[in-house]
Amino acid sequence: MSAAASSAARMVRAAGSTMPTSFNNDGQLFGLNLFLMTAFMCLGLVMAARMCRAIWANRVFDQPRHPVTIWRLAWLCAGAATFLRCGTEAMNLWAWSPVDVTTTARVLMAKRWIDPIALMFAAGWMVLTILSNDAMEQQLCKRPYPINMWASLPSLRRPLAIVFLSLFAAVGVASTR
């Protein structure tokens, strides 16, 4: 069956709304969701990519059972799950169009195929965290404890830029629909 004749396309065509019907034509709610899903898609990608780079750069030194390796893999899974889940929802919101129901139907179907993959990454993150929790707590309780997180504050510049760019884009789209 073609995307144009699918039940998803019929549903979008019947809705006739410039935003998914679950928003009940509330442009502010649509804009908020568009903003957050877009921002967290980007942030999840940045986190996953950062962990991939760290894993690759330290592949010679890191051992599979080393705490930092487990930590990196867990956060890679969390970032990938966030990227995929929020990305599919952002893609759905950006692509929604009663004028182009074929594209919207394809995006809805892609979303349904990608969501289980995102949940598998989320499951990997949870499994790694649960299995390593006790040993990780013991490792983290060893001296020296202090972590000066405030010294890393400048590293939030890029993520905040992503958040603000996503906000401006979402406000623009939501206000013009």
Side-chain angles (χ1 to χ4, degrees):
M1 175 187 299
S2 73
S6 69
S7 57
R10 285 193 304 273
M11 183 256 323
V12 173
R13 198 176 293 115
S17 175
T18 57
M19 59 191 78
T21 54
S22 59
F23 289 103
N24 200 29
N25 287 324
D26 185 342
Q28 291 176 335
L29 183 59
F30 175 79
L32 177 65
N33 276 268
L34 183 64
F35 155 57
L36 291 173
M37 292 300 173
T38 302
F40 277 85
M41 172 196 64
C42 294
L43 295 173
L45 178 61
V46 167
M47 177 186 274
R50 185 173 183 188
M51 290 300 117
C52 280
R53 278 194 310 268
I55 289 168
W56 183 257
N58 297 293
R59 69 189 180 283
V60 175
F61 309 108
D62 289 354
Q63 300 301 310
R65 292 177 28 178
H66 194 279
V68 75
T69 304
I70 295 167
W71 183 79
R72 287 180 183 137
L73 286 173
W75 288 109
L76 167 64
C77 287
T82 302
F83 165 68
L84 290 171
R85 180 60 194 97
C86 293
T88 57
E89 192 58 43
M91 185 174 61
N92 176 40
L93 296 175
W94 282 101
W96 184 273
S97 172
V99 177
D100 186 6
V101 294
T102 304
T103 299
T104 306
R106 285 183 179 137
V107 167
L108 288 169
M109 186 52 71
K111 182 177 182 294
R112 295 296 169 232
W113 282 103
I114 295 170
D115 279 349
I117 298 167
L119 291 173
M120 291 298 104
F121 276 109
W125 163 65
M126 289 178 189
V127 166
L128 284 169
T129 302
I130 290 166
L131 291 178
S132 67
N133 190 55
D134 293 340
M136 211 56 98
E137 284 179 7
Q138 290 174 1
Q139 197 67 25
L140 292 172
C141 288
K142 295 179 180 176
R143 292 193 184 270
Y145 319 120
I147 296 174
N148 185 2
M149 289 186 349
W150 301 115
S152 299
L153 203 55
S155 66
L156 287 178
R157 281 190 199 124
R158 283 187 181 150
L160 283 174
I162 289 170
V163 168
F164 285 119
L165 287 171
S166 299
L167 175 63
F168 293 133
V171 167
V173 168
S175 63
T176 59
R177 281 197 177 210

